[in-house]
Amino acid sequence: MDSQTSQASQPPHSPSSPHTFQVDLRGLVDLLSHHLYSSPKVYLRELLQNAVDAITARRATEPDAPARVRLYAEGGALRVEDTGVGLTEADVHSLLATIGRSSKRAEGLQEARSDFLGQFGIGLLACFVVAERIRVVSRSALTPGAPPVEWTAADDGSYTVRTLPDAERPEPGTTVHLVARAGAAEWLSPGRVEALARDFGSLLPYDVRVGDEAVTDLPAPWDRPYPGPAARRVALARHCHGLFGFTPLDTIDLSVPLAGIRGVAYVLPSAVSPAQRAGHRVHLKGMLLTERAEQLLPDWAFFVRCVLDTDSLRPTASRESLYEDETLAAVREALGERIRAWLTGLAAGDPERLGAFLSVHHLGVKSLARHDREMLRTMLPWLPFETTDGRLSLEEFAQRHPVVHFTRTVEEYRQVAPIASAQGIGVINGGYTYDSELVQALPSVRPGTQVAELDAETVTARLDAVDPAEELALSGFLAAARARLDPLGCDVVLRAFHPLSVPALHLDDRDARHEQARADAEERADDLWAGILGSLRGSAPRARLVLNHLNPLVRRISALPDPELIGTATESLYGQALLMAQRPLRPADSALLNRAFIGLLEWATHSEDGQA
């Protein structure tokens, strides 16, 4: 007969007998504290969880059984009492002395744990993260005649089990005693225990107290009755500030009855990056599971922080995050629908609040609208875009312009916006996140709308041509200017356009830039790669430097008699046009700017010397 069997058959009040875990307990504690759990604070959650599960199991057979959990912290020790189902000696051996295996104790408790957070065979051993010794005194409610039993374990892996006189535990339930390990006494201090108990257990369905202070705070803030909507918003805003540290722009109810979910989403009052992972608070049947649930909502809903209670989601082994499965995917989609419905409701009935929201979080709504045509249609009158007519919605812009032109980059927009505006060409800056995708999707929700990417040809065609006789007279000037910029893959054209203050405009498109990048790479490559890159040469139109014939400076340059000086001045205009467009400069462009600057200085100083 093995040691555990003989232990179970001992008579009451028998002397203590030593037993040993079948694993290296210190190694297991190191695994728990450094690899499974994010913080030692989870020990208190495990204690609360065991107590709540035990009460749930007892009430399955005794619906009127008391439901109390009491915590007492003092002098580096903690005592936790519950009125739960309790343990027999056989339960103790099976439940507390077997590592890595789910409990085989009474069906009531086993089913309760399965129904609550699952079975991981870790349970009370998590307390060794902060305690050097654990003592459990328990009396079973399922076996009324069974005496109280005591289980005492040390962090060296040894434990003892013995039965006790009835007076040691006259009522069913369990008491857990912890003694802090070296350096961990702070985790068992009264203030820390109360704070952790409130954090983990505020929504638990039973009476939980630390000393005389109540921990539970039911019903949950989102389920309480309030005098009116305004009072509810104020109360929830106060709740949000206490949990997350900010006052929300608005509150969204998150009720999914089929998934057993109740809670709220709080809208952030300031913009955040879409790449920033949101941390949501998730309670599982009242017990706080995690405050950093990142996968709870769709990625586009990065502008809210949630707190909710659920009975359907599955926790990971550490019970600190959610298991990614079909249930979580369905819940994520359902919660996303609730946020969509809130946005749609604002658009239909409260445009002032919607405007305040979009002024901060338009990026999140744009992210949603690019995948959801119905949301794009709803948000068309509200989403702001940068355009040559100012900040407008796509709907307003499309009403003003028969063709909706857009650029794909901010740089392209900046180089053409002043000119296009002066020529009556409406252009949307599609260089910001999601904007070009939404503009291109416009015809799908607004039939008949024409959308076109703005290119150099379109802009040049809208600029006024110079009188043929005047252009012929300037043929020498244009030839010198073209010769100087030809090695850079740039043509020179002469047009008349407004505003007069702009002497030159650099125009290209993506195809032209790709061809220029290929040509630059070909020039730097060895013979083999140069041949390969040469075979990829495209027929894209080259970049253009459009000189403004109405600009006084261009007129003076065109009248210069010296072709070399014309070339240097043209290089200067080219460099200035690149800088005005805020385009990145290639090495060749930087060398040109330096050469043009030095050339103009030499010309100016040479002229002064000649005059002297």
Side-chain angles (χ1 to χ4, degrees), residues 263-547:
V264 290
Y266 294 118
V267 181
L268 291 164
S270 56
V272 294
S273 167
Q276 180 177 331
R277 304 300 295 177
H280 308 293
R281 290 176 63 94
V282 178
H283 295 255
L284 194 51
K285 288 192 174 180
M287 181 69 73
L288 178 66
L289 179 70
T290 178
E291 52 192 352
R292 297 188 301 274
E294 296 181 349
Q295 70 274 49
L296 185 65
L297 295 182
D299 290 341
W300 54 261
F302 55 83
F303 49 84
V304 299
R305 295 291 181 271
C306 295
V307 54
L308 54 83
D309 189 21
T310 176
D311 59 11
S312 64
L313 298 180
R314 178 182 171 192
T316 58
S318 67
R319 308 184 198 181
E320 293 189 276
S321 59
L322 297 171
Y323 189 81
E324 185 67 53
D325 57 12
E326 292 182 358
T327 302
L328 179 57
V331 165
R332 183 164 47 235
E333 180 62 28
L335 295 179
E337 286 297 331
R338 299 300 182 275
I339 299 175
R340 279 191 186 92
W342 170 77
L343 284 170
T344 304
L346 288 186
D350 200 338
E352 185 175 341
R353 284 170 66 199
L354 178 63
F357 166 74
L358 288 178
S359 67
V360 178
H361 295 298
H362 58 274
L363 196 59
V365 180
K366 286 180 177 181
S367 174
L368 170 60
R370 67 194 178 115
H371 296 300
D372 188 326
R373 292 293 178 263
E374 189 58 39
M375 183 56 64
L376 177 58
R377 182 179 290 106
T378 301
M379 291 293 115
L380 267 182
W382 309 104
L383 288 175
F385 290 78
E386 183 180 358
T387 79
T388 49
D389 294 349
R391 289 189 69 80
L392 298 175
S393 70
L394 290 180
E395 178 68 27
E396 291 176 288
F397 189 84
Q399 290 174 357
R400 297 185 183 188
H401 300 278
V403 179
V404 177
H405 289 100
F406 71 97
T407 63
R408 291 188 180 273
T409 68
V410 174
E411 290 78 12
E412 290 178 45
Y413 177 80
R414 286 172 177 166
Q415 70 175 336
V416 302
I419 311 303
S421 179
Q423 307 306 314
I425 305 174
V427 183
I428 295 175
N429 183 357
Y432 296 117
T433 307
Y434 312 132
D435 283 9
S436 62
E437 295 176 69
L438 293 175
V439 174
Q440 292 177 90
L442 189 55
S444 67
V445 296
R446 196 177 189 276
T449 303
Q450 296 185 52
V451 174
E453 183 177 355
L454 188 68
D455 55 24
E457 286 289 345
T458 301
V459 177
T460 306
R462 296 291 290 269
L463 302 179
D464 294 335
V466 178
D467 181 84
E470 291 189 62
E471 187 167 3
L472 181 61
L474 297 174
S475 58
F477 158 70
L478 292 173
R482 288 166 180 157
R484 185 59 66 94
L485 296 186
D486 183 68
L488 295 173
C490 183
D491 291 332
V492 177
V493 296
L494 189 65
R495 292 291 187 272
F497 57 87
H498 293 273
L500 301 180
S501 58
V502 178
L505 177 66
H506 182 270
L507 294 177
D508 62 3
D509 52 30
R510 284 185 301 160
D511 292 338
R513 288 195 294 277
H514 291 166
E515 174 59 22
Q516 183 61 56
R518 185 210 59 79
D520 291 343
E522 179 182 357
E523 185 177 340
R524 295 190 302 268
D526 57 28
D527 292 342
L528 173 61
W529 282 107
I532 295 174
L533 291 169
S535 67
L536 300 176
R537 182 179 293 109
S539 58
R542 305 208 306 171
R544 299 177 182 182
L545 181 68
V546 183
L547 300 178

Side-chain angles (χ1 to χ4, degrees), residues 200-223:
F200 284 118
S202 62
L203 300 184
L204 289 175
Y206 304 132
D207 179 16
V208 181
R209 296 174 182 267
V210 178
D212 296 327
E213 296 295 325
V215 167
T216 50
D217 188 20
L218 294 176
W222 49 85
D223 286 332

Side-chain angles (χ1 to χ4, degrees), residues 18-41:
H19 302 267
T20 303
F21 287 106
Q22 300 303 305
V23 297
D24 177 1
L25 184 58
R26 287 178 175 169
L28 179 60
V29 170
D30 179 74
L31 175 67
L32 294 177
S33 60
H34 293 100
H35 302 286
L36 184 62
Y37 295 134
S38 63
S39 167
K41 70 181 182 180

